[in-house]
Amino acid sequence: MAVRLLSHELSDLCLGKPALRSLSVTSTIAEALEVLKTSDDNFVSVWSCDHKAKTSSGFQSAAGFCDNYDDDDCRCVGKVCMVDVICYLCKDENLVSPSVALKEPVSVLLPKIPGLVLHVEPSCSLLKAIDLILEGAQNLVVPIKTKLSNKRKQHQKPSPTVTVHKGREFCWLTQEDVIRFLLSSIGLFSPVPAFSIDTLGIISSEILTIEYHSPASAAIGAISRTLVDQTSVAVVDSEGCLIGEISPFTLACCDETVAAAVKTLSSGDLMAYIDCGGPPEDLVRVVSSRLKERNLNGMLEHFSMSMSCGGFSSSSSDEESMAASPLPRSGRYSRSMSYSARMVRRAEAIVCHPKSSLVAVMIQAISHRVNYVWVIEDDCSLVGIVTFSDMLKVFREHLETIA
């Protein structure tokens, strides 16, 4: 069984994975927003395709067919999500005129960190994939083996956001995909999965925190960092007890107007604002009022328009109708009718105890679709965090002994 596990290629993990939705690196942030608001995935891939002047003979765009060129001509150079847009709009100059900021190319959102997204072949081994992830890769871009037939290509109109290159579509694999795959063979690692995370020494004390009453704007840099680290910002009280979190996974389910809340609310109020129940009426009024006080008229207009599109009006004459109709959700559900197809995160933190077993923490993280679990003591004092990366290190060491 162990030999069989080691013989797996990435193509085995790609079965059933959807084709990537994508954007050209020259697309605008506004165009990226459109794709994100209609996507089932929190991220959209960004592609750079350089085929010079030969677009008419095979290449349409980063989202079209690309049949006559080397793979190096068309590469996924990164990924963006709603959190990138929110942090970008939180910059003072962009708050003044968000409509102008959204016209910038999506490339300005890409982190300047090499190796976050890597191309690999379907024949790449599971061990190699784990090594790449432990070296810093977040997404492994893999060609989907099934080729599109010529007949299908003739009759199928290319999706405006699906990349097809040399008759092949692409998917990507994440840390979660690998952890899920290993969980399906968890018995092979016995007795390690039953050990506590404390015993295994995988609780990291390198965490980012912010005090409950502190301005949420003070956490913008931390939010950007946790997006790269695939972790979260812990919200704590004055004694260091965990109250909640400001998570990129939760923010990714919101829309871009949350930037206004980040700049005007406290960390505690922001948690309430981005909770999956939708922004409370009183906090919407606070955000609008503070934007007006700070003369951030561009963002105020953008924010008000978003609220009114969801049926919210700040005029006193509409107070009765507001009581009868709930406010629009800050989550993605407000942007789509496919309620059951998507998962919106609450601002409530997912926690475990230092004595929790490795397999229990794995299941916790997977079931809540996060890459980490906070570790707390019985009195809720924050001990640290356990991430998928920490877990993969344990499994990689064990695989070394059976390789």
Side-chain angles (χ1 to χ4, degrees), residues 6-302:
L6 292 173
S7 68
H8 280 293
E9 299 177 346
L10 288 194
S11 57
D12 299 322
L13 279 69
C14 293
L15 294 175
K17 295 284 288 184
L20 284 180
R21 300 190 73 180
S22 59
L23 286 169
S24 167
V25 72
T26 58
S27 299
T28 65
I29 298 174
E31 290 170 332
L33 272 178
E34 255 187 84
V35 175
L36 286 167
K37 289 179 178 181
T38 57
S39 175
D40 292 334
D41 196 346
N42 285 338
F43 289 89
V44 61
S45 59
V46 179
W47 290 69
S48 176
C49 295
D50 183 13
H51 302 312
K52 309 302 180 185
K54 299 182 180 181
T55 57
S56 62
S57 61
F59 174 69
Q60 293 185 356
S61 70
F65 288 102
C66 180
D67 293 319
N68 303 322
Y69 300 92
D70 294 335
D71 288 348
D72 287 341
D73 293 332
C74 200
R75 308 285 294 177
C76 179
V77 295
K79 60 177 182 175
V80 294
C81 72
M82 189 62 71
V83 188
D84 293 301
V85 180
I86 291 170
C87 291
Y88 173 74
L89 289 178
C90 282
K91 296 179 179 179
D92 291 339
E93 62 271 24
N94 296 334
L95 284 169
V96 173
S97 184
S99 59
V100 173
L102 294 177
K103 293 177 182 178
E104 289 296 310
V106 72
S107 57
V108 304
L109 301 180
L110 298 179
K112 312 303 181 189
I113 303 174
L116 292 181
V117 176
L118 294 177
H119 279 258
V120 294
E121 288 300 318
S123 58
C124 178
S125 70
L126 176 62
L127 280 179
K128 178 61 176 175
I130 294 175
D131 287 340
L132 290 173
I133 290 173
L134 293 179
E135 289 169 6
Q138 291 185 358
N139 297 72
L140 302 178
V141 180
V142 188
I144 298 175
K145 277 190 170 181
T146 304
K147 292 193 174 184
L148 296 173
S149 66
N150 289 331
K151 186 175 182 180
R152 180 183 169 190
K153 283 194 294 182
Q154 291 172 2
H155 296 282
Q156 178 181 345
K157 182 179 179 181
S159 167
T161 57
V162 172
T163 295
V164 182
H165 179 57
K166 289 188 175 180
R168 294 193 296 183
E169 294 175 332
F170 294 82
C171 68
W172 60 23
L173 296 175
T174 64
Q175 291 182 6
E176 180 184 344
D177 293 315
V178 177
I179 288 289
R180 281 180 179 274
F181 189 77
L182 293 176
L183 183 60
S184 67
S185 302
I186 198 68
L188 297 177
F189 299 93
S190 183
V192 174
F195 293 165
S196 72
I197 54 176
D198 189 20
T199 299
L200 292 171
I202 59 174
I203 303 174
S204 174
S205 59
E206 294 183 8
I207 54 179
L208 295 174
T209 64
I210 189 167
E211 206 269 330
Y212 182 86
H213 296 290
S214 297
S217 57
I220 294 173
I223 293 170
S224 295
R225 178 176 165 185
T226 55
L227 178 61
V228 173
D229 294 340
Q230 301 185 92
T231 56
S232 182
V233 180
V235 179
V236 299
D237 64 15
S238 58
E239 297 180 352
C241 291
L242 182 67
I243 298 176
E245 66 177 352
I246 301 174
S247 167
F249 292 87
T250 305
L251 288 171
C253 297
C254 301
D255 64 30
E256 74 280 6
T257 61
V258 170
V262 173
K263 291 294 288 187
T264 56
L265 298 177
S266 68
S267 297
D269 284 341
L270 178 63
M271 285 197 301
Y273 188 94
I274 64 178
D275 192 67
C276 70
E281 174 185 321
D282 59 333
L283 290 182
V284 171
R285 294 185 184 281
V286 169
V287 172
S288 296
S289 175
R290 291 177 181 172
L291 288 174
K292 188 174 182 179
E293 288 173 5
R294 301 175 191 182
N295 293 319
L296 296 173
N297 297 324
M299 178 54 78
L300 177 60
E301 181 180 354
H302 193 74

Side-chain angles (χ1 to χ4, degrees), residues 176 179-180 183 186 193 350 357-370 372-373 388 391:
E176 180 184 344
I179 288 289
R180 281 180 179 274
L183 183 60
I186 198 68
I350 311 304
S357 68
L358 172 60
V359 67
V361 177
M362 286 175 66
I363 294 172
Q364 261 190 295
I366 289 173
S367 62
H368 289 92
R369 301 299 306 274
V370 292
Y372 60 90
V373 176
F388 277 159
M391 299 176 197

